[in-house]
Amino acid sequence: MNNRGDFEEFSRITGFPTPTAEERELARERLRMAMADPRSNTVRRQRRLVPVAAAISAVAVVVALSMFGNRSDVNASLLRLVDAAERVEQVTLAPGQATHVIESTTYLMVIAGDELGIKTEVIAYLLPATRELWILPDRTVILHTTVGRPLFFDELVEDAYYEAEYDAVDKVGTTIEDAYTGVADIVREHDWPTNPGELKADILDQVRQGGSALPEEALIFQRVARIYRTHETTPQLRGALLEVLASLDVTVLNDPDSGTVSASISYPDMGGTLSDLLTFDTDGLLIAEQTTADTGIPGLGIPPGTVIASATYTVPETVDWSPGG
Amino acid sequence: MDQGEHTDGDLIRGSIDDPQMFEGIFERHYDRVFRYMVRRVGRTEGADLTVEVFVAAFEQRGRFWIERESALPWLFGIASNLAKRYTRSLDRRRRAFLRAAGVSSDLGDEGAVAERVDAASLVAQLNTALGRLRSQDREVVLLIVLGDLTYQETAAALGLPIGTVRSTFSRAKARLRSDLGDVGWNPNDDFGQGVVR
């Protein structure tokens, strides 16, 4: 809603122009003429290259796709990874061992303005965190999360955040220790096929049931990411996931120095365009991902090009683990 | 299709294949855009430019993100650009005319703006004061006050962060209050407390 006082005050001074019936009809006719003009009816949809994320390794070569472009370049980059991924040795944990991963994440937090005592309906800020995981042979997950200092888009919101002592709510600067046993996750709860065609069909089945309004290819892309980031995929499953990615309308970026390959997809969401990016190392392991608000999110005061979610992952390693150590 | 049941996004999406659906956008928003344009550039030019807003919107409809419910910020973004372009072009023509007539044209934007408005003194002073604002500040004020947009809609129309819109409007309000406080129009404390939807 708006406070109409200003508008009415201004109107009192300068009048309140309204169109006459003739003006409106003339305008309608002119618009109809434009609508009937074939030149006005050519709807051009531009396809944009996804910008390289600053948070990931520098990229020297961009393999860009047009709507009718050549997929063989994309295929070549991702399919090289498939071979590498499938050759990685599958690790079997022995008692007293754990799979260890460190994640550095930043996520967009959206809360009601009321929570900070300000009039804005919703506000947003970025909250970084570092997560250290140990995954034990019995599938227990030990998690240590250290929350970092938030990043704000608006100084007024930042002031209100600390005045409301919301940093205590977010546990900024503290390390939270959790342990989960018997946790079901997306890898364990479903028997994902390692045949790429069957895997894609399976994923498509699931995303269609979800009822999301996002484009199907974006949903498939996101499901691939979700499976990958459990850190519990087999080499064969990773190979199949990479082949699924290669079958989508993605933009691929290669870094010849590090050998990393990134795949990205853009889609409409949150009132603008978002882009998701996944980065894989030379063994086809996921080492980074991020979501960028390409056109910004004006309703949340987020400028174009802002990274609203990001994560980097160390390569999972096998470590000795014992309770309390 | 009963257009009354559909969002602007629905109508624009439908107009990709059935252009006639775009008329629904016109019917919903023409009066508001008209009011804004006439207040900025005058009756005749305002009526003409209002049509140009909808024609431009129709031609660009493929770039409108259909997930948005309201096309109003988008339309006002187009309107704001067209109005700015018009007043800049008018000012250039006016300067050229003045140069030809041997008259100093060093009046700045506020001179051109003041020339185009109603002869009423208060209106002229109001527009002179608006003309002294920075371009972005002026656009923010005009969209909120003339277009009756919320901060959120104004931010969407101008592609600005919402925090910037709020702080810009607050600053512009203070400036206008200072300039106009003695001419019978005193923006009170409630001026511009538009609550974001």
Side-chain angles (χ1 to χ4, degrees):
Chain A
M1 60 180 166
N2 220 5
N3 185 326
R4 292 198 56 80
D6 326 310
F7 183 69
E8 284 162 358
E9 179 68 19
F10 209 88
S11 300
R12 183 184 66 77
I13 299 165
T14 59
F16 197 86
T18 53
T20 62
E22 290 78 13
E23 281 171 328
R24 193 178 286 107
E25 185 53 35
L26 191 62
R28 193 181 286 115
E29 283 308 309
R30 285 176 59 189
L31 177 62
R32 283 176 179 163
M33 283 172 54
M35 284 159 54
D37 185 338
R39 287 168 300 176
S40 297
N41 261 310
T42 304
V43 176
R44 286 180 293 277
R45 297 182 190 277
Q46 281 186 311
R47 177 176 170 79
R48 293 181 295 155
L49 289 176
V50 174
V52 178
I56 63 170
S57 54
V59 171
V61 175
V62 173
V63 180
L65 278 182
S66 68
M67 290 286 278
F68 307 102
N70 180 0
R71 294 200 58 77
S72 66
D73 293 331
V74 173
N75 284 344
S77 296
L78 287 172
L79 292 176
R80 269 198 297 275
L81 271 189
V82 171
D83 287 341
E86 290 177 345
R87 283 199 299 270
V88 171
E89 192 181 324
Q90 173 68 14
V91 172
T92 304
L93 295 175
Q97 291 185 323
T99 299
H100 179 241
V101 179
I102 299 176
E103 302 177 348
S104 299
T105 64
T106 302
Y107 289 114
L108 185 70
M109 307 294 287
V110 181
I111 62 172
D114 278 352
E115 304 249 355
L116 304 186
I118 57 181
K119 285 184 187 173
T120 311
E121 190 172 343
V122 287
I123 57 153
Y125 57 95
L126 296 172
L127 191 66
T130 303
R131 289 161 34 118
E132 195 168 3
L133 295 90
W134 292 265
I135 305 169
L136 307 186
D138 66 356
R139 298 297 183 89
T140 297
V141 178
I142 311 294
L143 186 59
H144 291 180
T145 305
T146 303
V147 182
R149 207 172 154 81
L151 306 162
F152 297 93
F153 304 105
D154 187 322
E155 279 178 14
L156 295 175
V157 170
E158 182 171 9
D159 290 344
Y161 178 92
Y162 287 107
E163 221 172 282
E165 296 183 335
Y166 212 79
D167 51 336
V169 174
D170 280 340
K171 298 188 168 59
V172 173
T174 63
T175 298
I176 308 149
E177 297 185 6
D178 286 307
Y180 303 98
T181 57
V183 174
D185 66 25
I186 192 171
V187 171
R188 301 174 204 166
E189 69 199 19
H190 185 79
D191 189 16
W192 296 103
T194 54
N195 171 284
E198 290 172 14
L199 176 61
K200 186 175 181 181
D202 220 343
I203 291 174
L204 196 54
D205 243 351
Q206 287 213 351
V207 302
R208 280 177 177 163
Q209 287 172 31
S212 169
L214 295 187
E216 280 184 354
E217 290 224 334
L219 291 171
I220 294 171
F221 188 99
Q222 290 178 350
R223 186 56 57 96
V224 167
R226 197 174 148 201
I227 297 171
Y228 240 111
R229 70 171 80 97
T230 62
H231 312 299
E232 292 194 83
T233 51
T234 63
Q236 291 72 31
L237 181 55
R238 289 197 290 275
L241 289 168
L242 288 166
E243 290 209 51
V244 170
L245 277 185
S247 74
L248 304 176
D249 191 13
V250 293
T251 301
V252 172
L253 305 97
N254 298 289
D255 182 350
D257 291 334
S258 64
T260 59
V261 176
S262 299
S264 174
I265 195 164
S266 298
Y267 52 94
D269 195 9
M270 301 185 80
T273 308
L274 303 187
S275 296
D276 289 350
L277 181 86
L278 301 176
T279 300
F280 304 95
D281 72 0
T282 52
D283 286 333
L285 290 165
L286 181 67
I287 58 170
E289 57 180 309
Q290 70 180 47
T291 298
T292 306
D294 292 342
T295 52
I297 307 174
L300 298 178
I302 294 172
T306 301
V307 174
I308 60 173
S310 69
T312 61
Y313 309 108
T314 58
V315 172
E317 58 173 349
T318 302
V319 300
D320 293 330
W321 187 87
S322 60
Chain B
M1 180 188 284
D2 180 357
Q3 296 188 351
E5 297 172 354
H6 293 88
T7 66
D8 288 354
D10 293 336
L11 292 177
I12 294 174
R13 184 195 295 114
S15 74
I16 303 294
D17 295 319
D18 178 8
Q20 298 308 312
M21 287 188 67
F22 194 82
E23 273 198 51
I25 300 294
F26 174 89
E27 299 303 336
R28 281 180 187 176
H29 300 303
Y30 174 75
D31 283 23
R32 238 175 117 173
V33 176
F34 176 93
R35 185 161 56 237
Y36 170 77
M37 259 326 184
V38 166
R39 299 291 289 282
R40 285 206 63 171
V41 301
R43 187 89 189 190
T44 308
E45 295 85 355
D48 283 346
L49 283 178
T50 302
V51 179
E52 285 189 36
V53 168
F54 286 91
V55 170
F58 176 76
E59 291 171 350
Q60 297 170 27
R61 68 198 190 283
R63 284 186 246 152
F64 177 80
W65 288 111
I66 55 181
E67 281 70 21
R68 290 182 191 152
E69 284 197 9
S70 172
L72 204 60
W74 175 58
L75 292 171
F76 271 95
I78 297 171
S80 180
N81 286 334
L82 287 180
K84 264 191 304 195
R85 209 181 301 162
Y86 173 81
T87 51
R88 267 188 236 129
S89 145
L90 187 69
D91 192 45
R92 281 196 294 272
R93 289 201 299 273
R94 182 176 180 279
R95 287 175 193 272
F97 171 77
L98 289 173
R99 277 199 297 274
V103 176
S104 166
S105 61
D106 186 22
L107 292 174
D109 281 346
E110 57 265 32
V113 170
E115 283 290 315
R116 298 303 305 166
V117 303
D118 196 296
S121 167
L122 180 58
V123 170
Q125 291 180 67
L126 182 59
N127 281 279
T128 300
L130 284 168
R132 292 198 194 103
L133 298 177
R134 292 186 305 174
S135 174
Q136 179 173 289
D137 293 8
R138 186 166 58 247
E139 293 307 313
V140 166
V141 169
L142 292 175
L143 282 175
I144 291 172
V145 178
L146 295 189
D148 197 23
L149 296 190
T150 62
Y151 289 160
Q152 187 172 340
E153 289 169 335
T154 301
L158 298 178
L160 296 173
I162 198 168
T164 300
V165 168
R166 289 174 60 182
S167 58
T168 297
F169 191 62
S170 179
R171 186 175 60 241
K173 175 180 70 173
R175 177 77 191 267
L176 289 172
R177 185 186 290 127
S178 166
D179 285 353
L180 297 170
D182 60 352
V183 295
W185 184 55
N186 190 12
N188 59 25
D189 285 342
D190 291 332
F191 187 64
Q193 295 286 329
V195 175
V196 174
R197 267 199 253 110

